[in-house]
């Protein structure tokens, strides 16, 4: 690892002042479980001059519910969110998604802010500099996406454009189904971004001087059925091959509303609007369920090695919709 200056920020203002001072040459860290790996492997040509520790800022790790919904501080540890009675009661899909993240060690160190902002796991992008030299690619600003002609078994099957890396965050998928928003702050001011708009083709849309401070989830309908399921190759410590989060509002056998979000199939949480349209307004019978799964993947454009993801996604959707 190359040397860098390290600062323990006491406040959001201090962290923002440091980001301004270093003008794009500083990175923030929370649990460090992702950033330290990125720095150790030197996967990026631009190395930060300074790393600003956010975990020394107090007050950004609370988990609360009020009339407006649920508020989760960006520095809340994943383990604390998964254990929170407020989250278990109101957002079981989020609890399930966090329980599927990595290992207990990672959930004890990792924060929700860091999880949502973590860098992609594309193996071309992550190729370590020390093993023959880092790989340039579209995401790094130079060259093609190597997944297009290379080994793309874990890459996007939906909406790929120039970079086919997928969003690696499991909680992001549940939060998208829960219609969460994230609150951010930068020297120029604050903004609130729907989670659905938080990711672009190249990852989170945060500016270099912008911090994520809070996640807000609107109070879910009392009778909403929330689910999350993740297909992975190993049952322990593995990223999703495909995941699905669903929030269904069903009354007297009729699906009044549905949100269906797929993970690890696109660069962002993929909201399967076509599937939602199939199930909304009618009974969740087998015929609708099958139609919904087909509709969700209708626009899929798998590459040479990842068509299997389409079938897994359809299977997970069918399972999630069977109440
Ligand atoms: C072996 C392994 C297995 C894993 N498995 C999974 C998995 O199955 N599912 C899954 O979802 N994740 C998985 N992860 C990722 C893990 O969940 C993340 O590393 C962790 O959540 C990141 O949180 P952190 O607080 O440690 O972030 P850090 O490493 O501190 O930061 C990560 C990134 O976010 C930025 N950042 C952090 N906080 C903020 C903030 N408040 N505002 C703006 N930017 C910020 C940092 O600059 C950095 O770019 C795995 C990681 C490993 C190493």
């Amino acid at each position: 690892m190359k040397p860098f200056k390290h600062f323990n920020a006491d406040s959001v203002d201090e962290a923002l002042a440091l980001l301004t001072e270093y003008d794009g040459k500083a990175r923030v860290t929370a649990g460090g479980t992702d950033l330290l790996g990125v720095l150790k492997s030197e996967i990026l040509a631009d190395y930060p001059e300074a790393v600003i520790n956010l975990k020394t800022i107090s007050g950004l790790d609370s988990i609360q519910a009020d009339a407006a919904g649920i508020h989760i501080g960006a520095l809340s540890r994943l383990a604390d969110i998964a254990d929170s009675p407020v989250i278990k009661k109101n957002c079981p899909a989020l609890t399930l998604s966090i329980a599927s993240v990595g290992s207990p060690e990672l959930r004890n160190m990792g924060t929700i802010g860091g999880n949502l902002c973590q860098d992609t796991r594309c193996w071309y992008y992550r190729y370590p500099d020390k093993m023959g030299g880092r790989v340039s690619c579209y995401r790094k600003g130079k060259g093609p996406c190597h997944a297009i002609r290379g080994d793309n078994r874990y890459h996007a099957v939906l909406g790929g454009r120039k970079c086919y890396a997928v969003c690696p965050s499991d909680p992001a998928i549940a939060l998208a189904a829960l219609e969460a928003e994230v609150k951010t702050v930068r020297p120029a001011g604050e903004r609130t971004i729907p989670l659905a708009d938080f990711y672009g083709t190249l990852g989170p849309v945060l500016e270099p001087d912008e911090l994520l401070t809070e996640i807000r989830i609107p109070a879910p309908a009392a009778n909403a059925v929330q689910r999350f399921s993740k297909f992975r190759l190993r049952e322990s410590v593995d990223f999703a091959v495909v995941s699905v989060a669903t929030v269904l509002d069903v009354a007297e056998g009729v699906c009044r509303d549905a949100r269906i979000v797929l993970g690890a199939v696109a660069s962002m949480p993929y909201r399967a609007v076509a599937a939602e349209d199939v199930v909304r307004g009618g009974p969740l019978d087998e015929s609708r369920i099958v139609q919904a799964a087909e509709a969700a993947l209708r626009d899929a454009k798998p590459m040479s090695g990842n068509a299997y993801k389409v079938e897994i996604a359809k299977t997970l959707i069918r399972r999630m919709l069977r109440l």
Side-chain angles (χ1 to χ4, degrees):
M1 200 188 284
K2 294 180 186 172
F4 51 78
K5 285 192 182 162
H6 183 269
F7 296 94
N8 286 324
D10 284 335
S11 63
V12 169
D13 284 347
E14 187 184 348
L16 292 180
L18 284 163
L19 284 171
T20 304
E21 182 185 333
Y22 278 88
D23 194 16
K25 293 188 177 129
R27 296 290 298 271
V28 297
T29 187
T33 59
D34 182 50
L35 186 71
L36 289 182
V38 170
L39 297 184
K40 273 187 182 167
S41 296
E42 296 181 22
I43 63 172
L44 302 173
D46 291 337
Y47 211 83
E49 289 177 11
V51 171
I52 304 161
N53 177 20
L54 302 178
K55 267 205 162 165
T56 41
I57 302 174
S58 59
L60 283 185
D61 59 355
S62 68
I63 303 167
Q64 290 168 354
D66 62 20
I70 294 107
H71 306 257
I72 305 174
L75 293 179
S76 302
R77 297 180 322 142
L78 295 173
D80 292 334
I81 302 171
D83 285 346
S84 158
V86 169
I87 303 300
K88 280 183 183 160
K89 178 171 172 238
N90 295 288
C91 314
L94 180 59
T95 307
L96 290 170
S97 70
I98 291 178
S100 81
V101 170
S103 62
E105 295 86 345
L106 280 162
R107 297 193 292 274
N108 282 333
M109 281 304 290
T111 63
I112 188 68
N115 181 280
L116 295 180
C117 298
Q118 65 177 293
D119 218 336
T120 181
R121 287 279 154 181
C122 167
W123 47 26
Y124 295 109
Y125 179 86
R126 286 257 173 182
Y127 197 78
D129 192 39
K130 291 188 182 71
M131 289 173 60
R134 72 179 66 85
V135 175
S136 295
C137 68
Y138 181 79
R139 195 178 184 98
K140 289 181 185 167
K142 197 175 169 197
C145 173
H146 300 285
I148 297 171
R149 303 185 69 178
D151 188 337
N152 45 42
R153 74 187 92 159
Y154 301 126
H155 290 80
V157 293
L158 280 156
R161 245 180 297 149
K162 298 196 171 171
C163 169
Y164 285 78
V166 297
C167 172
S169 166
D170 291 312
I173 310 310
L175 287 169
L178 290 162
E179 295 193 312
E181 298 175 329
V182 299
K183 195 178 147 198
T184 72
V185 61
R186 53 189 300 230
E190 294 183 358
R191 58 177 176 152
T192 301
I193 311 170
L195 200 94
D197 300 332
F198 186 64
Y199 297 97
T201 302
L202 302 182
V205 296
L206 291 183
E207 298 295 333
D209 63 352
E210 191 165 20
L211 296 177
L212 200 166
T213 53
E214 188 183 297
I215 293 100
R216 296 177 183 162
I217 305 168
N223 59 333
V225 179
Q226 300 182 26
R227 290 179 164 177
F228 174 85
S229 180
K230 168 173 165 179
F231 181 91
R232 52 188 159 180
L233 296 185
R234 294 177 303 189
E235 270 311 300
S236 70
V237 197
D238 214 352
F239 288 87
V241 170
V242 179
S243 66
V244 178
T246 52
V247 179
L248 304 172
D249 180 355
V250 180
E252 294 170 6
V254 173
C255 179
R256 296 193 301 199
D257 199 9
R259 293 193 292 278
I260 303 170
V261 180
L262 308 185
V265 294
S267 61
M268 56 203 72
Y270 180 84
R271 185 141 174 197
V273 177
E276 295 173 3
D277 289 344
V278 170
V279 293
R280 196 178 292 111
L284 273 176
D285 54 30
E286 193 58 23
S287 147
R288 268 176 198 270
I289 288 171
V290 171
Q291 277 180 50
E294 294 299 319
L297 276 300
R298 194 170 291 145
D299 293 334
K301 291 194 176 58
M303 294 185 283
S304 57
N306 63 4
Y308 75 103
K309 280 190 166 200
V310 173
E311 296 311 313
I312 292 173
K314 288 181 190 174
T315 304
L316 289 187
I317 292 171
R318 287 195 297 267
R319 286 184 191 163
M320 294 293 95
L321 294 179
R322 286 184 190 123
L323 297 182

